[in-house]
Amino acid sequence: MTGQPISLLNSMQANRPAAPAVDSPLIGGPLIGGPLVRELGRADYESVFADMRAFTDARTPDTRDELWIVEHPPVFTLGLGADRGHLLSGPGVPAHDVPVVQTDRGGEVTYHGPGQVVIYLLMDLRRNKPGGKLYARQFVNKIEQAVIDVLAAYNLVGERVEGAPGIYIAEGPRRGAKIAALGLKVRGNGCTYHGVSLNVAMDLSPFTWINPCGYSGLATVDMRTMGVEAPLADVQQALAHALVRHLASTGPAPVSSPVSAPEAATINSN
């Protein structure tokens, strides 16, 4: 297609420098031994990806688990099994300058951008926890339930879809549209990175330039599209609180639909 590229990178407000990583007094303080919650501000995807791997490489059995809250500039990311054919071109797809980054998480292609909550979970699933170690399937279930709880707090009903980790709108004319994505790496030693994203108030057009999660025509929505106007920072904090709460619980989260997730290597969703 001819014409000048659409520059999402240049048209959005200038990137904020990444905030210093600090223990959040709102989240981390009262939960002794719980994950440390770090707020990174807006940060480049590739640099955070490298930091996640470096953190996981260096951690020991005594390293405290961490959750990283971040907002990314526009980027498409590919899972290990991603088909680049899901990056669309041709009629209806404008020329653009959104970078494409190959990752080591599970799943296909997805989009991250301003107005989206992203929380990375750097956890050791084999560590002794109340009730014993946490399995990948249970881990996915708890993450999904945290998203469902946050949506419910804003009067939105989310649901699981069998075989497709993530959260989808459960009611109304937009039922079946995806509002939250999940993609994880689980190493052989039980240590995880990558995480979950929840769409709050985004430019959703880049989702139409891909087949999200490898599904042609999959509708993607955000909370604003669903009629909810909420500050990004508020939703970031709400989701972090919900994740900490569910990860600290001893039992499985409620399951509204079966969750299909492998017990090793990668969780195939995005």
Side-chain angles (χ1 to χ4, degrees):
M1 173 175 273
T2 59
Q4 294 298 314
I6 293 177
S7 178
L8 289 180
L9 295 171
N10 295 329
S11 64
M12 70 185 199
Q13 292 182 346
N15 288 354
R16 301 189 303 271
V22 295
D23 194 353
S24 168
L26 269 177
I27 305 166
L31 289 167
I32 305 301
L36 181 70
V37 180
R38 298 184 184 271
E39 299 185 49
L40 306 184
R42 185 176 293 173
D44 174 74
Y45 180 85
E46 288 189 275
S47 64
V48 177
F49 179 30
D51 289 345
M52 285 191 291
R53 289 179 294 175
F55 175 91
T56 306
D57 289 342
R59 69 179 301 164
T60 72
D62 298 321
T63 301
R64 188 175 174 185
D65 293 335
E66 297 195 4
L67 305 184
W68 293 0
I69 304 172
V70 65
E71 181 188 21
H72 288 306
V75 62
F76 293 123
T77 69
L78 302 172
L80 283 173
D83 179 350
R84 284 183 172 264
H86 293 307
L87 293 162
L88 304 179
S89 61
V93 180
H96 60 80
D97 61 356
V98 178
V100 178
V101 178
Q102 179 65 59
T103 78
D104 60 356
R105 62 164 172 77
E108 281 284 349
V109 61
T110 196
Y111 171 72
H112 296 305
Q116 181 187 63
V117 174
V118 177
I119 299 184
Y120 294 123
L121 297 103
L122 296 99
M123 308 287 294
D124 181 351
L125 301 187
R126 295 187 180 182
R127 172 173 292 158
N128 287 332
K129 292 180 170 62
K133 68 181 181 180
L134 190 63
Y135 291 95
R137 188 182 303 272
Q138 298 168 315
F139 188 48
V140 168
N141 180 261
K142 287 174 180 288
I143 295 168
E144 290 179 328
Q145 191 61 44
V147 174
I148 290 171
D149 290 354
V150 170
L151 292 175
Y154 289 97
N155 298 313
L156 297 176
V157 181
E159 66 179 356
R160 299 173 175 88
V161 172
E162 184 175 1
I167 297 300
Y168 302 78
I169 297 299
E171 296 180 346
R174 298 184 185 274
R175 182 177 182 182
K178 193 164 190 175
I179 195 167
L182 177 68
L184 297 167
K185 174 72 173 182
V186 185
R187 290 190 176 175
N189 62 359
C191 293
T192 75
Y193 52 103
H194 297 292
V196 62
S197 61
L198 172 60
N199 304 334
V200 179
M202 306 179 68
D203 175 2
L204 294 170
S205 57
F207 284 106
T208 69
W209 307 344
I210 60 174
N211 290 327
C213 308
Y215 293 102
S216 177
L218 176 64
T220 304
V221 296
D222 59 10
M223 293 172 62
R224 181 171 59 191
T225 303
M226 298 301 299
V228 175
E229 294 288 347
L232 183 69
D234 289 359
V235 185
Q236 288 173 327
Q237 294 292 311
L239 183 55
H241 272 287
L243 287 166
V244 169
R245 183 174 66 252
H246 280 290
L247 292 169
S249 69
T250 59
V255 180
S256 54
S257 297
V259 176
S260 297
E263 295 292 350
T266 56
I267 305 299
N268 292 311
S269 173
N270 40 53

